Amino acid sequence: MTTRRSRVIVGGHSAINTFLLSLVELQKENPSAKLVWIMRKNFVEEVYGGEEKDALKVCGALGIRIHELVDAGKIEVLTQFYMATGFEQVL
């Protein structure tokens, strides 16, 4: 049996809500699948927001959910990821 690994580069609450959480749902159908979240932030805690104390309740709820999934090991996180854009060659 082969383990599948998905690498996801997303940021912002809308991307978390629409894409990352959808992949977590798919992961339930294939528990051996590994989900790796790649982000430019220094620490994953930066995306959790205010959680229970967040002024925007929807954003707070997303922060809580993602925090739980990361702590449970459902999502592996790689931080401080940067990509070269290639624009310097065009200019």
Side-chain angles (χ1 to χ4, degrees), residues 38-79:
I38 302 169
M39 65 177 60
R40 295 181 299 167
K41 304 250 184 232
N42 291 325
F43 304 99
V44 67
E45 293 80 8
E46 293 177 44
V47 299
Y48 297 157
E51 296 184 80
E52 301 89 3
K53 298 174 188 170
D54 202 304
L56 298 172
K57 297 298 179 193
V58 174
C59 291
L62 283 174
I64 291 168
R65 181 73 178 124
I66 290 296
H67 195 164
E68 291 170 348
L69 291 167
V70 170
D71 285 353
K74 299 289 184 186
I75 302 172
E76 178 185 347
V77 179
L78 300 177
T79 57

Side-chain angles (χ1 to χ4, degrees), residues 16-27:
I16 292 167
N17 190 34
T18 58
F19 192 70
L20 196 57
L21 292 180
S22 296
L23 287 175
V24 170
E25 289 301 313
L26 288 174
Q27 189 181 43

Side-chain angles (χ1 to χ4, degrees), residues 10 14-18 30-31 33-37 39-40 62 67 69 74 83 86 90-91:
V10 297
S14 60
I16 292 167
N17 190 34
T18 58
N30 186 1
K34 303 294 180 201
L35 183 55
V36 181
W37 184 13
M39 65 177 60
R40 295 181 299 167
L62 283 174
H67 195 164
L69 291 167
K74 299 289 184 186
M83 295 185 297
V90 175
L91 300 175

